[in-house]
Amino acid sequence: MKQAGQLRWWKSLSVVLEPDVYLLLLRIYFPILFPITFLLVLGSLALDRALGWNGLVPTPINYYLAVVLFVAGVFFWTHTYYVFVHGGDGSPSPAIRRTTRLVTWGIYARCRNPSVLGKLMGVSAVGCLVNSPSLCLIIIPLLLAGS
């Protein structure tokens, strides 16, 4: 089993090419999660207009904040999946292939569910990109509380 110090961050990006993760992207992310995110953005922009909210942060800053959140979220997401595939001998999704070993190294030595943290950062990046206060301050916290 690999130890936390042996993993390089750029190797975690290669996990997207793994067959199990590729299937996960094709079966769940592209047909379900990305369209749901798009609908959440449309709803939050309508809510912003209804509440008379202009934006979360000044316009040039929101783009930089979105990039930082997105890059950090992609890192957490890919690193989590890398650890699952290579350390747990399985897939991030039990529907595709269950892990056969408990993963306690890498990011799992510090965080219980880093995949959710990465996805939360990704959705928050979208909220910052469209500069929607209702998405960042109302909808995302409600989704997080309900999960």
Side-chain angles (χ1 to χ4, degrees), residues 1-2 82-90 99-103 105:
M1 187 179 312
K2 296 181 183 180
Y82 182 90
V83 171
F84 257 134
V85 169
H86 295 285
D89 289 331
T99 55
T100 57
R101 291 191 306 212
L102 179 64
V103 178
W105 61 275

Side-chain angles (χ1 to χ4, degrees), residues 66-80 114-115 117-123 125:
V67 168
V68 168
L69 283 170
F70 184 77
V71 168
V74 166
F75 170 76
F76 276 106
W77 178 76
T78 57
H79 182 70
T80 300
S115 175
L117 178 62
K119 292 169 191 165
L120 177 66
M121 287 178 162
V123 174

Side-chain angles (χ1 to χ4, degrees), residues 16-94:
V16 177
L17 302 175
E18 296 283 340
D20 290 338
V21 176
Y22 188 70
L23 281 173
L24 185 66
L25 288 171
L26 289 177
R27 289 183 183 171
I28 297 173
Y29 282 79
F30 291 127
I32 299 170
L33 294 180
F34 291 155
I36 288 173
T37 302
F38 179 73
L39 293 174
L40 288 173
V41 167
L42 290 178
S44 68
L45 291 175
L47 184 59
D48 288 340
R49 280 192 303 275
L51 295 174
W53 290 350
N54 297 352
L56 192 60
V57 293
T59 298
I61 296 172
N62 70 318
Y63 298 128
Y64 298 121
L65 187 58
V67 168
V68 168
L69 283 170
F70 184 77
V71 168
V74 166
F75 170 76
F76 276 106
W77 178 76
T78 57
H79 182 70
T80 300
Y81 284 15
Y82 182 90
V83 171
F84 257 134
V85 169
H86 295 285
D89 289 331
S91 162
S93 172

